[in-house]
Amino acid sequence: MGRLSGYVRTGVTHPEEAPLLREAVTLLFDGETEAEATRWLTGQGMLTPRGNAFRREVLHRLLANPRLAGLDESGEPIEGWDARVLEPEVFHRLQKLFEERSQKRSKSRDAHVYLLTGGCALCDECAHPMVGSRVHAEAPPSYKCNGCGKTRINADRLEDFVAEHVLAELFKPGARQRLEKLECDIEAEVARLKEHIEGAAEREASIGDLYGRGLMVKAAFLAAQKASKEDVRVSKLRLKQLEQMTDLPIGDVHDLVAWWRTASHAAKKGLVLLEVEHVRVGRAQGSQDPEKRVLIDWRQPTS
């Protein structure tokens, strides 16, 4: 087993590393993040026993190692461990801090509800949908291409850009009338989809009847069954998306900005989906500015 950071050898602390690690732990107790503590250690010139710069993940593993406090895996003191980088009570307090921060990060991850997922935001590189993602646990929410994986953009930056343009469109002359026509198109499609979904059982029964009468080979029957189930699945997803776009208070919204600030997430998403067909996101290419990366395809009424 290699040398553990903070120790010269088992039970003998390193005269330079041990104080630095204790100071890094103090920074964590004072509210600094693991990334900030890692940067501080790097700034002090501390390296890992292999001579590499510390990374956040490496520091976390080290500080979660009970041997740093002279303890075995079960938390019992190791016999003959003369000196410790951290006292056991400090080590246990640190693990509790890690657990609390992990729970807080989990709540934070769950808190962000993405506005443009579900096929609205597309990668301009490969046309695959963008999905909600984070670079790491402490990173802000972002959108990442679910296909090539090369395109990523900060969620707040993209959503604020789209919201700004959606609201700007609503201030243009004739915008309300156009949206009312779009709502009529959506309602008509909703009705068609509901009828299509309701007819799924009858279509599957017809397929079974053809197979039972020997008019369809088994391979074709199984393929037709699979295609029918997939068609219903896709139709239900599309129906759920479309239903978010109906019953919006378009005619009654006078102060659109105030409405947007207080509207529910479902209402915001419904308005965006009603106005926008797709949001195409390009790769950064040296610029994070949405004006240079994002193209909005506006939905147009069919009549």
Side-chain angles (χ1 to χ4, degrees):
M1 186 178 291
R3 179 176 75 82
L4 184 68
S5 291
Y7 290 95
V8 175
R9 59 182 181 275
T10 300
V12 179
T13 56
H14 194 290
E16 296 174 358
E17 293 179 357
L20 290 175
L21 288 173
R22 293 184 190 115
E23 183 61 29
V25 170
T26 299
L27 291 174
L28 293 174
F29 286 145
D30 288 342
E32 300 288 351
T33 66
E34 289 173 57
E36 289 165 334
T38 302
R39 284 193 292 271
W40 182 83
L41 280 176
T42 301
Q44 298 300 310
M46 183 171 173
L47 301 174
T48 69
R50 293 189 177 186
N52 300 318
F54 270 92
R55 291 181 291 111
R56 187 187 64 82
E57 297 82 359
V58 173
L59 179 62
H60 180 86
R61 284 198 300 270
L62 171 63
L63 297 182
N65 189 335
R67 292 173 64 232
L68 204 64
L71 305 173
D72 61 22
E73 293 300 326
S74 62
E76 296 297 321
I78 300 174
E79 188 176 348
W81 204 283
D82 298 326
R84 307 178 179 91
V85 173
L86 298 179
E87 291 303 313
E89 58 270 21
V90 175
F91 176 78
H92 291 310
R93 182 184 165 202
L94 181 61
Q95 305 319 300
K96 185 177 180 181
L97 176 66
F98 285 155
E99 184 179 352
E100 290 172 352
R101 289 188 175 183
S102 176
Q103 292 173 351
K104 196 173 294 185
R105 283 195 298 269
S106 295
K107 290 179 181 177
S108 176
R109 284 197 295 272
D110 295 340
H112 189 84
V113 185
Y114 291 88
L115 188 67
L116 305 171
T117 50
C120 181
L122 302 178
C123 171
D124 202 37
E125 186 87 7
C126 67
H128 275 75
M130 305 282 285
V131 296
S133 174
R134 291 177 189 255
V135 178
H136 56 77
E138 295 181 0
S142 62
Y143 287 82
K144 178 186 177 183
C145 174
N146 202 31
C148 67
K150 298 176 182 177
T151 305
R152 182 186 290 274
I153 189 169
N154 177 277
D156 289 341
R157 186 177 289 123
L158 177 61
E159 291 173 359
D160 288 348
F161 173 83
V162 172
E164 179 182 334
H165 282 72
V166 164
L167 295 176
E169 281 292 307
L170 290 176
F171 284 110
K172 293 181 178 179
R176 301 298 174 83
Q177 291 78 9
R178 182 176 63 83
L179 287 183
E180 287 169 0
K181 289 180 181 179
L182 283 172
E183 271 200 318
C184 290
D185 291 345
I186 297 301
E187 288 168 358
E189 189 177 351
V190 165
R192 287 194 298 270
L193 278 172
K194 285 182 176 179
E195 185 177 349
H196 181 69
I197 293 168
E198 288 170 0
E202 185 178 340
R203 291 193 298 276
E204 289 187 13
S206 297
I207 295 170
D209 180 58
L210 289 173
Y211 177 63
R213 290 161 55 195
L215 300 176
M216 182 181 285
V217 298
K218 185 175 181 180
F221 167 67
L222 293 175
Q225 265 195 331
K226 183 178 179 181
S228 178
K229 291 183 185 299
E230 177 63 13
D231 173 63
V232 171
R233 185 189 71 82
V234 172
S235 295
K236 286 182 176 179
L237 286 174
R238 175 65 174 163
L239 177 62
K240 183 178 180 181
Q241 183 187 53
L242 291 174
E243 286 178 333
Q244 294 181 77
M245 306 182 208
T246 58
D247 297 325
L248 292 170
I250 295 170
D252 298 327
V253 177
H254 300 294
D255 188 346
L256 289 166
V257 176
W259 175 83
W260 181 268
R261 287 172 179 164
T262 59
S264 67
H265 177 268
K268 289 179 180 179
K269 189 160 189 171
L271 181 57
V272 169
L273 293 176
L274 184 60
E275 275 209 80
V276 174
E277 186 74 41
H278 292 117
V279 175
R280 291 183 284 136
V281 183
R283 292 174 65 183
Q285 303 290 355
S287 173
Q288 296 292 340
D289 185 0
E291 289 284 355
K292 299 178 180 179
R293 298 182 59 191
V294 180
L295 292 173
I296 298 177
D297 297 327
W298 299 99
R299 195 183 297 276
Q300 297 299 324
T302 57
S303 58

